[in-house]
Amino acid sequence: MEQESIEQISLMKKQLEELTNKVASLENSRKDQLSMAIVSGDMDKIMAAMIIALAASAMDTQVKLFFSFWALAALRDENKKGKGKDFISKMFGMMLPKSKNNLKLSNMNMAGMGPMMIKYLMRKKGVMSLDQMFKEAGELGIEITICEMSMDLMGFKKEEMISYPNLRYAGAGTFVNEGNESSMQLFI
Amino acid sequence: MTQEELKNVEVAKSVDARGTACPGPLLEAKKAIGSIKAGDIMEILSADEGTKVDIPKWCGKQGHEYLGAVEENGYFKVYMKKK
């Protein structure tokens, strides 16, 4: 009889522990957090991503941006150079935009005329430039993660990336893990 | 609050965000809210139509009280009370 009740108590303890763990993971899965995977390197798409990120941050939502593939060109610093690149990497580096200030538009690029006109309109209408947006993002504590694998694939080097206060390097697992905790996940 | 009441309300802080487009005014509001006390009223001046819709949502999320908006010539003033 006594043996039985001891067994029962230990069973209940186990179940309680399982429940506590489940509740903890549920609480973590709905964080007021935005995880965004930014893959496109077009000026308009990077702008959209940054505007959403800033708006979310203004709403006190924690923002985590994961940059990979074409979007990485937007994180290059035109005044910095990567060393020790092979032939293909050098070619990629030459053909891709040197910084966020010379990205192309996904529509109406017109050999660079489109971005010029958009930039003129943005100044006229008081829309922040990409430079300002990144500066604001840094001050607001928005985190930027660079996908190490795609950076390597595109032939970019760490030393040619912008200086940004919350810049990290990680893999897709980090994005998936943080996306799992976030109440909002976007892919651009 | 009625339009008349809003026009005569005493504000603790006025944020002029007329020079910036979305999401500029929201960011300005977020930065300014820290400088006023709970119960104080803040007005945000903006020419961006989207902001008129965004500010009440921002207030709703942060728990501040949205008081209303007043149209001016070419811009508008949004009023809110800090939680």
Side-chain angles (χ1 to χ4, degrees):
Chain A
M1 194 60 191
E2 202 164 285
Q3 185 63 29
E4 220 172 82
S5 59
I6 287 173
E7 266 174 30
Q8 246 176 356
I9 287 172
S10 76
L11 188 71
M12 273 165 73
K13 264 189 184 162
K14 222 177 180 180
Q15 283 174 329
L16 194 67
E17 205 175 304
E18 271 173 30
L19 273 171
T20 318
N21 286 339
K22 266 187 190 165
V23 169
S25 79
L26 272 174
E27 274 173 349
N28 268 335
S29 71
R30 296 297 295 179
K31 260 197 219 166
D32 184 10
Q33 182 173 291
L34 164 65
S35 287
M36 207 178 333
I38 307 166
V39 177
S40 316
D42 305 306
M43 182 194 172
D44 40 343
K45 292 180 185 167
I46 298 283
M47 267 179 59
M50 292 310 288
I51 291 170
I52 295 171
L54 289 177
S57 197
M59 296 251 186
D60 279 348
T61 299
Q62 177 91 20
V63 180
K64 299 193 172 196
L65 306 177
F66 187 79
F67 277 71
S68 77
F69 290 91
W70 308 113
L72 290 174
L75 296 180
R76 292 172 84 194
D77 187 329
E78 52 203 326
N79 300 317
K80 293 184 190 168
K81 267 207 163 86
K83 285 184 202 96
K85 290 190 182 185
D86 59 24
F87 176 68
I88 297 176
S89 296
K90 272 184 192 155
M91 218 166 67
F92 258 66
M94 270 168 64
M95 283 158 69
L96 287 164
K98 304 267 183 308
S99 82
K100 54 185 167 305
N101 295 319
N102 35 47
L103 302 175
K104 289 178 178 167
L105 282 178
S106 66
N107 267 312
M108 296 189 16
N109 190 55
M110 301 181 290
M113 285 279 285
M116 259 170 64
M117 285 191 272
I118 284 275
K119 280 175 198 166
Y120 166 73
L121 284 175
M122 279 163 67
R123 269 199 306 277
K124 203 175 144 199
K125 308 221 179 229
V127 178
M128 271 183 260
S129 69
L130 273 175
D131 269 331
Q132 286 169 305
M133 287 189 204
F134 273 85
K135 191 172 166 278
E136 284 281 350
E139 283 167 11
L140 287 163
I142 291 176
E143 229 173 67
I144 292 183
T145 306
I146 288 179
C147 167
E148 205 91 63
M149 181 277 281
S150 57
M151 185 181 75
D152 204 37
L153 197 65
M154 316 280 284
F156 296 151
K157 299 278 180 193
K158 278 184 185 175
E159 58 263 26
E160 65 182 299
M161 294 297 166
I162 52 165
S163 342
Y164 182 84
N166 306 299
L167 195 69
R168 322 178 286 172
Y169 296 84
T174 299
F175 173 72
V176 173
N177 179 261
E178 288 169 358
N180 192 32
E181 297 171 349
S182 300
S183 52
M184 242 188 300
Q185 304 94 2
L186 295 175
F187 183 87
I188 296 179
Chain B
M1 274 191 175
T2 66
Q3 294 279 306
E4 274 312 303
E5 280 176 319
L6 282 177
K7 275 178 190 164
N8 296 318
V9 84
E10 200 173 311
V11 295
K13 193 169 182 76
S14 179
V15 180
D16 191 349
R18 281 176 293 180
T20 63
C22 175
L26 208 57
L27 284 170
E28 305 256 338
K30 178 203 158 77
K31 284 177 193 162
I33 194 81
S35 69
I36 63 169
K37 294 196 296 286
D40 278 353
I41 291 175
M42 182 165 88
E43 68 172 359
I44 301 135
L45 279 56
S46 172
D48 179 67
E49 283 292 326
T51 297
K52 210 156 65 179
V53 187
D54 284 7
I55 296 275
K57 304 220 161 104
W58 175 69
C59 290
K61 191 184 169 206
Q62 313 291 53
H64 307 309
E65 189 186 344
Y66 173 70
L67 303 173
V70 174
E71 291 280 344
E72 293 285 338
N73 193 16
Y75 66 100
F76 50 85
K77 295 173 175 170
V78 182
Y79 294 88
M80 49 141 322
K81 191 192 260 180
K82 187 176 179 177
K83 173 179 64 167

